[in-house]
Amino acid sequence: MIELQRIFDEINSISIYVFLFCVTLSLFRKNISDLLNLYDRPDTIRKLHKNTTSTFNGFLIISLVLTYPLLDFFFFKEFNLNFNITLSIITLSFYLIGLYDDKKNLSPTYKTFLIFLLLLMIMPLNQNFIIKTLDFKNLFNFPIILNQASIFVTIFFIYIFYNLLNFADGKNGVALIVAIIFIVILAVEKNKVTNLDFLILTTLLICMYLNLKNLSFLGNSGSAALSVFISLNYIFEYNSQSTLKCDEIFLIFLIPGMDMTRLVMERIFKGKSISLGDLNHLHHHIGSICSDKYIFIIYGIVTLIPYITSFLIDSYLVLILGNILFYLGVLIFFKKKLFFK
């Protein structure tokens, strides 16, 4: 209890007021959505939802990200100006690309080109956002020096995580619980909750409530902004504090990453577009045998298992292989349940 108090000691009272402001803002979500036309309309084959839905959640997230640099400059003093500006610019850019995608249905090729070009232009503004060396806890006994490949490897990892979170976004609460888990794990590993952590987590809880009530969802805009926000925070922590090594981060992201990899491979083998939406995701299989209101809980528990087992087993090779088998076992279990239903 004392340790928990120490972790939260640095939370500024200003953060509480900002949280209350976000709650108030959410009460006017319809007015804001109408004013800014923050709606995702299911007018393409790629979109599986049937009703026009507000994407206010994404707006709430980007509003916080853009407000934080001012709060940090005047009150918190947690990060330098370069960190805040670079994080805000990249997150806003991803949000705008996703927002345009929500409205105009960008082609996957054009969207990928925009993302890579954007990151290639902005990432060099802060070297702490560029992975220069791949260090491992115990998977390998030597670091991998990236040299000139640093920027491209970093962009590739961010793009992979962008797709990972996007693939998890299909049932209410799933992408949000995954994001919350990743942020909480990072805070636990660095043994500190910053005001930024507190504000993004409380904002995501507001988004979770709205999402579970079918009042708003992330949309491509919110998912894109959230994915790059989490990616950059993990990379920054990895570079500045070495809190987590590559094999540890890989294990944390393993379950959603495995589901994304499986879906991409299946679509390629079947000659389908890898961006074409379907009902073959893990969260869809879970939802086929239980109520929609419990899907995010089960998905969250499954996502947490690799991280939890890391406290029980020292070898990361055994952990990774064991949890890959665990994911396949979970998938087979739900598919069989669906088949015999």
Side-chain angles (χ1 to χ4, degrees):
M1 192 67 175
I2 296 175
E3 179 68 15
L4 189 62
Q5 178 63 45
R6 189 194 67 77
I7 291 175
F8 281 93
D9 274 347
E10 295 185 29
I11 300 300
N12 194 298
S13 59
I14 298 296
S15 291
I16 307 298
Y17 294 122
V18 174
F19 165 65
L20 294 175
F21 176 76
C22 289
V23 172
T24 304
L25 201 63
S26 69
L27 298 177
F28 297 94
R29 64 190 174 278
K30 188 178 187 309
N31 306 75
I32 296 171
S33 297
D34 291 342
L35 179 65
L36 301 178
N37 191 24
L38 299 176
Y39 290 101
D40 191 351
R41 294 173 174 83
D43 52 0
T44 69
I45 190 172
R46 191 164 59 96
K47 297 178 181 180
L48 301 176
H49 57 284
K50 297 179 180 180
N51 301 316
T52 297
T53 311
S54 168
T55 57
F56 173 80
N57 280 353
F59 171 81
L60 192 61
I61 291 168
I62 195 60
S63 297
L64 172 66
V65 173
L66 295 180
T67 304
Y68 179 79
L70 287 174
L71 296 172
D72 193 40
F73 182 79
F74 288 108
F75 303 108
F76 306 145
K77 314 295 184 184
E78 292 176 326
F79 302 100
N80 61 45
L81 190 60
N82 187 286
F83 170 91
N84 286 324
I85 291 176
T86 307
L87 180 67
S88 297
I89 291 174
I90 297 177
T91 306
L92 176 61
S93 300
F94 266 65
Y95 174 78
L96 292 175
I97 291 173
L99 188 64
Y100 191 79
D101 189 29
D102 281 332
K103 298 180 182 301
K104 301 296 182 180
N105 190 27
L106 285 174
S107 73
T109 302
Y110 186 55
K111 185 164 53 176
T112 299
F113 171 76
L114 283 178
I115 289 172
F116 272 76
L117 180 63
L118 165 73
L119 291 174
L120 196 58
M121 291 172 58
I122 303 177
M123 291 294 288
L125 293 176
N126 191 319
Q127 292 299 307
N128 278 322
F129 287 139
I130 298 178
I131 304 169
K132 298 180 176 64
T133 305
L134 300 180
D135 292 313
F136 301 88
K137 184 174 182 178
N138 65 17
L139 193 58
F140 298 107
N141 295 323
F142 55 88
I144 299 175
I145 310 300
L146 298 176
N147 295 321
Q148 287 82 7
S150 294
I151 183 68
F152 301 105
V153 171
T154 303
I155 291 173
F156 175 73
F157 284 158
I158 292 174
Y159 181 71
I160 290 296
F161 188 77
Y162 160 78
N163 282 285
L164 178 153
L165 198 62
N166 186 55
F167 272 62
D169 188 21
K171 288 288 187 178
N172 286 352
V174 173
L176 286 166
I177 195 64
V178 168
I180 289 171
I181 286 171
F182 291 158
I183 294 170
V184 169
I185 288 176
L186 186 59
V188 168
E189 288 296 325
K190 64 187 180 185
N191 198 30
K192 178 183 179 182
V193 177
T194 64
N195 287 279
L196 180 59
D197 295 330
F198 175 81
L199 287 171
I200 192 65
L201 284 171
T202 51
T203 298
L204 292 182
L205 289 175
I206 297 171
C207 293
M208 177 73 81
Y209 174 80
L210 296 176
N211 192 206
L212 294 177
K213 292 291 185 179
N214 288 311
L215 299 173
S216 175
F217 65 22
L218 285 171
N220 293 321
S221 53
S223 177
L226 193 53
S227 69
V228 76
F229 175 87
I230 295 173
S231 300
L232 293 178
N233 273 278
Y234 263 83
I235 293 171
F236 179 82
E237 190 65 26
Y238 170 82
N239 283 333
S240 61
Q241 301 297 330
S242 295
T243 301
L244 290 164
K245 302 298 184 182
C246 290
D247 41 4
E248 295 175 292
I249 295 173
F250 180 81
L251 196 66
I252 292 168
F253 297 161
L254 183 61
I255 298 299
M258 279 291 297
D259 205 46
M260 175 195 69
T261 303
R262 174 185 64 86
L263 289 163
V264 169
M265 291 177 65
E266 285 185 3
R267 291 172 189 178
I268 291 174
F269 290 148
K270 293 178 180 179
K272 297 180 179 180
S273 169
I274 61 174
S275 62
L276 186 65
D278 58 36
L279 300 176
N280 195 26
H281 300 233
L282 177 59
H283 52 258
H284 290 128
H285 291 302
I286 295 172
S288 296
I289 64 171
C290 73
S291 170
D292 280 2
K293 63 183 179 181
Y294 299 123
I295 296 174
F296 80 100
I297 298 175
I298 298 173
Y299 196 98
I301 292 171
V302 172
T303 298
L304 265 174
I305 292 299
Y307 178 70
I308 293 172
T309 54
S310 69
F311 293 98
L312 307 174
I313 303 172
D314 291 330
S315 171
Y316 270 73
L317 179 60
V318 173
L319 275 169
I320 290 170
L321 292 176
N323 280 289
I324 288 174
L325 292 175
F326 167 72
Y327 162 76
L328 294 175
V330 169
L331 186 67
I332 291 170
F333 171 79
F334 282 109
K335 279 192 171 184
K336 277 190 173 182
K337 288 287 186 181
L338 174 61
F339 180 78
F340 288 110
K341 188 177 179 181

